[in-house]
Amino acid sequence: MSEPLRLGLAGLGTVGTGIVRIVQENAACLAARAGRPIEIGAISARSRSRDRGVDLSRYAWEDDPVALARRDDIDLVIEVIGGEDGPAKATATAAINAGKHFVTANKAMLARHGQALAEAAEARGVALRFEAAVAGGIPVVKSLIEGLAANRITRVMGVMNGTCNYILTEMERTGAPYAQVLEAAQKLGYAEADPSFDVGGVDAAQKLALLAAAAFGTRVDYEGMTVEGIERVSIADIEHAAELGYRIKLLGVARLTPRGLETRTQPCLVPSTSPIGTLEGVTNMVVLEGDFAGRIVMSGPGAGEGPTASAIMGDVVDIARGLIFPPFGQPAASLCHAPRAGTSGEAAYYLRFALADRPGVLARIAAALGESGVSIDRMRQGAHPGTTAPVLIVTHRCGRPALDRAVSVIETLDVCHDVPVVLRIEDV
Ligand SMILES: NC(=O)c1ccc[n+]([C@@H]2O[C@H](COP(=O)([O-])OP(=O)(O)OC[C@H]3O[C@@H](n4cnc5c(N)ncnc54)[C@H](OP(=O)(O)O)[C@@H]3O)[C@@H](O)[C@H]2O)c1
């Protein structure tokens, strides 16, 4: 058998420990598939003495991951430290500059520095792979870059943050409000102590930024994304949406439109019977649409030790096989600066108003919508004990600017008792 591929592993936390386990437990199948043994040569973390539940005694130790990345006895560096800059970025740069292949699970770093790192890797003739950075164990990057390489991708969308989907499905199941479910999720370890990256939509947006680049041949443009989280989703809207046949999901959607690149992460209504509408708990789902392949739906665990380490090692096996291609599927220099679409394309919308319960009010709302060219598909008034009635409206497809104009007029009416809720209904 050929020479082993020697790995330098920077980071021994959740994902790093999983990588050690796979290398140790699946050595034979890794070697058979890669055509050469895959071995860990050296490791790095902050604490050398911490018991991580795996045998690390046979590996060389480096306190500094940059020193690990530069070791002569390492062919490929895996970075599972995390963080946009700091030691992760320093490790990436050192590895690539030293001519080592580089595999990472770090969406935060690639969302900011993906273009520069891809250019550097290509210039050095080394691989940069990041399957684990998007949707954990689901091989979505590979599907886009390899399996669907013959297609013009028309849309990429999905639920790519398990924490948010868990919170939304628990709110629906228990009827408990957001804050209470978030606290329970933190106790169960499904949400971080500081959950803002997850619930604020940032984590899902970083993943979508990477997928959009791979899908549309555009530069990674995290700054150009519309990013909205689930913090303001109320149990009332979850329940009203259900009555209308929808569920609320934190959806990431990327499309290359004639107006430019549309990339957004926001809570949307999706039909309850659609694949995304049936998604429960922490599971992720990604939908890829190609002009010849049609719609591909993939779901599975989007995080966790095993799935994320599996995705990392899938990339490692590819590199061991000699599969080296540009990180985003085409040369980084050829990735285009797509203009930003600005507003999202037309859609139907769910609106909830808290309105004075007296004659003529609904006619005024309909008139305000009509004056902006927004027509009503369905309207219903919810049950209410007092003088304020919840009114739910599903619009026909309309542009967001027209809808915003109408809603801002309605907000100023004396019959409107609270800030209206506007949620997009995504065609899925
Ligand atoms: N966890 C998941 O399910 C998951 C899923 C997808 C992607 N990811 C991504 O994978 C990466 C790692 O996540 P994780 O959950 O495994 O993180 P983690 O459990 O916090 O582990 C981070 C590791 O990095 C080490 N580290 C931190 N600073 C270091 C430094 N200066 N030098 C050397 N080592 C250092 C830590 O060392 P000590 O252990 O000694 O403190 C720890 O072993 C992140 O980019 C994350 O976004 C994670």
Side-chain angles (χ1 to χ4, degrees):
M1 198 172 261
S2 330
E3 286 290 293
L5 181 77
R6 298 160 306 173
L7 312 180
L9 178 57
L12 292 168
T14 305
V15 184
T17 308
I19 291 165
V20 173
R21 284 208 174 87
I22 294 183
V23 171
Q24 293 181 352
E25 290 174 26
N26 287 356
C29 87
L30 286 171
R33 289 174 184 158
R36 57 196 287 203
I38 293 178
E39 297 170 357
I40 294 173
I43 55 177
S44 176
R46 274 178 304 208
S47 163
R48 187 170 187 174
S49 57
R50 180 177 298 168
D51 179 6
R52 300 173 192 275
V54 284
D55 176 14
L56 302 172
S57 57
R58 68 190 96 160
Y59 310 135
W61 175 270
E62 293 282 356
D63 287 325
D64 178 6
V66 169
L68 171 113
R70 292 185 180 140
R71 282 176 71 106
D72 290 337
D73 58 354
I74 294 301
D75 306 306
L76 185 157
V77 175
I78 299 173
E79 180 274 312
V80 280
I81 295 172
E84 202 175 298
D85 289 288
K89 170 88 183 320
T91 303
T93 306
I96 291 167
N97 287 344
K100 321 277 188 195
H101 301 300
F102 182 71
V103 178
T104 181
N106 191 334
K107 61 233 149 205
M109 177 176 74
L110 291 181
R112 294 282 179 207
H113 307 295
Q115 179 71 29
L117 290 172
E119 285 175 13
E122 287 172 34
R124 296 299 309 229
V126 296
L128 185 174
R129 301 284 292 261
F130 59 91
E131 183 64 72
V134 184
I138 310 175
V140 57
V141 177
K142 205 170 172 54
S143 300
L144 266 180
I145 289 180
E146 296 177 56
L148 297 173
N151 288 253
R152 205 168 44 80
I153 302 297
T154 48
R155 182 167 62 163
V156 173
M157 67 180 165
V159 169
M160 287 177 270
N161 184 276
T163 304
C164 288
N165 203 54
Y166 174 79
I167 291 172
L168 292 173
T169 51
E170 278 300 287
M171 286 172 73
E172 190 176 14
R173 190 180 67 81
T174 61
Y178 169 79
Q180 194 178 318
V181 174
L182 171 61
E183 202 184 318
Q186 284 169 317
K187 285 193 185 128
L188 285 167
Y190 288 149
E192 302 283 337
D194 173 5
S196 53
F197 250 50
D198 289 319
V199 298
V202 174
D203 173 83
Q206 289 172 337
K207 295 167 182 169
L208 187 66
L210 301 180
L211 284 189
F216 306 118
T218 51
R219 287 176 173 240
V220 181
D221 183 18
Y222 175 74
E223 287 76 15
M225 303 188 68
T226 303
V227 184
E228 205 186 313
I230 61 165
E231 303 99 322
R232 287 182 302 166
V233 174
S234 71
I235 192 69
D237 290 313
I238 288 178
E239 287 171 359
H240 289 312
E243 289 160 21
L244 294 165
Y246 298 104
R247 293 180 87 191
I248 299 179
K249 298 288 172 193
L250 182 75
L251 216 55
V253 181
R255 295 190 313 144
L256 193 57
T257 74
R259 293 172 293 113
L261 186 62
E262 181 184 322
T263 42
R264 54 192 158 81
T265 302
Q266 60 186 168
C268 292
L269 270 65
V270 297
S272 310
T273 51
S274 63
I276 288 180
T278 58
L279 201 60
E280 301 288 343
V282 294
T283 309
N284 281 202
M285 182 174 281
V286 182
V287 179
L288 307 173
E289 293 172 353
D291 57 352
F292 279 79
R295 177 178 291 197
I296 314 289
V297 180
M298 290 185 280
S299 72
E305 178 188 315
T308 314
S310 156
I312 290 268
M313 289 309 295
D315 281 345
V316 168
V317 170
D318 267 358
I319 294 167
R321 287 167 171 154
L323 261 177
I324 315 264
F325 45 70
F328 292 100
Q330 64 184 66
S334 73
L335 296 169
C336 68
H337 284 283
R340 294 168 182 171
T343 56
S344 48
E346 287 198 342
Y349 284 87
Y350 159 97
L351 312 175
R352 177 164 62 85
F353 298 105
L355 301 177
D357 188 10
R358 57 174 195 255
V361 170
L362 294 182
R364 289 174 72 187
I365 302 302
L369 289 168
E371 273 160 28
S372 284
V374 177
S375 64
I376 295 173
D377 178 24
R378 282 187 280 167
M379 183 189 278
R380 79 153 64 167
Q381 185 173 311
H384 64 101
T387 53
T388 301
V391 171
L392 315 173
I393 292 176
V394 174
T395 70
H396 284 295
R397 290 175 69 82
C398 63
R400 184 71 197 237
L403 182 66
D404 285 344
R405 272 197 308 279
V407 170
S408 62
V409 169
I410 293 169
E411 262 180 310
T412 64
L413 300 178
D414 60 344
V415 295
C416 183
H417 290 181
D418 204 350
V419 181
V421 173
V422 179
L423 291 169
R424 184 181 169 96
I425 302 176
E426 195 69 36
D427 289 327
V428 296

